[in-house]
Amino acid sequence: MASPGPRRMPRRQSAAVYRRRRLVVGALLLVVLVGLWWAGSAIFALLVDEDPHDPTAQQEDDTEGGSGSESDSDEGSDEGAASEEDSDADSEEDSDAGSDADTDDVPEGHCAPGDIRVTADTDDAEYSAAVAPLLILTVQNVGDEDCTLDVGTAEQEFTVSHAGREVFTTTECGGEADSYELTMEPGQQERAQLSWPRSDSSASCTEPVELEPGAYELTVSLGGITSEPHRFTLK
């Protein structure tokens, strides 16, 4: 029986070979991990449509909401403007209707209120204690056509005031009052005069009284058309 020969010892691998093997194994493991991560990300993206922390998406939502608010504001402004236009139109219609009504109430050929101007005046600006002021009512046709107006004393009114108190008015004085219809041409003026004896009509229309010196105002009217106040002074 032959004796066994000497055994060959296995050859030991060098350290460089071991390092290369470790590097290959590590690279393969890294590839596997990257693949798993990519697959997980893809699945998550399919399940979630929008990231709640995405500032771009949040900005789009805010923009849509702002556009809606601006639209509502524009609609409100349009409605407000339309309402104001309707109100203005209604006011113009009411004004026109009032003017037409005033014109319709005037008999044909007579003067409409818009065709007549009434002014107050006195024959002087200042009066001493012994002088009776002359009160003047002037009426003028400021229209474009001839018209008829009642200028009689029944339609005339003279009122004197001082410091906001009515001192004298012809409405408190008796006497004859008549009507006198006058046809006036365009631009024509007529005057009525009254000598005021410096009386207080609440007591007497003709008896003078001691009046406080200072500024007085005269207002006249004819047929319901009233003048602007005219100021004069009593000393």
Side-chain angles (χ1 to χ4, degrees):
M1 182 174 185
S3 60
R7 294 182 179 179
R8 181 178 296 180
M9 295 297 291
R11 187 177 180 180
R12 178 174 296 181
Q13 300 293 330
S14 65
V17 172
Y18 284 113
R19 283 195 299 270
R20 284 195 296 270
R21 288 178 179 176
R22 291 192 186 99
L23 290 174
V24 171
V25 172
L28 292 175
L29 181 60
L30 180 61
V31 170
V32 171
L33 291 176
V34 171
L36 291 175
W37 175 83
W38 181 85
S41 298
I43 294 172
F44 181 78
L46 291 175
L47 294 177
V48 181
D49 291 336
E50 181 181 309
D51 184 359
H53 301 289
D54 185 1
T56 303
Q58 184 68 25
Q59 183 176 1
E60 292 177 355
D61 293 341
D62 293 342
T63 302
E64 292 177 358
S67 298
S69 299
E70 291 178 359
S71 177
D72 294 341
S73 177
D74 292 341
E75 291 178 359
S77 299
D78 293 340
E79 291 177 357
S83 177
E84 291 179 0
E85 291 177 357
D86 293 340
S87 177
D88 293 341
D90 292 341
S91 299
E92 291 179 358
E93 290 178 359
D94 293 342
S95 178
D96 293 340
S99 299
D100 293 340
D102 292 341
T103 303
D104 293 340
D105 292 341
V106 177
E108 184 177 359
H110 283 65
C111 301
D115 296 331
I116 296 300
R117 177 185 298 150
V118 177
T119 56
D121 199 2
T122 54
D123 64 336
D124 205 345
E126 296 182 352
Y127 298 91
S128 61
V131 178
L134 185 65
L135 312 182
I136 302 172
L137 180 157
T138 302
V139 57
Q140 181 181 15
N141 179 4
V142 294
D144 299 328
E145 299 178 356
D146 294 357
C147 62
T148 300
L149 181 68
D150 189 345
V151 295
T153 55
E155 301 295 331
Q156 300 174 15
E157 181 179 345
F158 295 79
T159 302
V160 178
S161 301
H162 172 66
R165 185 182 75 86
E166 187 175 271
V167 177
F168 173 84
T169 177
T170 53
T171 58
E172 294 180 346
C173 301
E176 296 182 1
D178 58 3
S179 296
Y180 178 67
E181 289 195 344
L182 176 68
T183 299
M184 301 180 65
E185 299 177 352
Q188 181 178 345
Q189 294 185 10
E190 297 294 334
R191 299 202 329 174
Q193 301 179 160
L194 173 67
S195 179
W196 174 44
R198 303 171 76 117
S199 60
D200 187 337
S201 60
S202 63
S204 171
C205 290
T206 58
E207 292 296 326
V209 295
E210 185 176 349
L211 298 175
E212 181 180 354
Y216 285 73
E217 288 186 345
L218 168 66
T219 303
V220 298
S221 66
L222 181 69
I225 304 172
T226 304
S227 70
E228 294 292 330
H230 168 74
R231 178 171 292 191
F232 61 97
T233 302
L234 295 184
K235 295 182 177 180

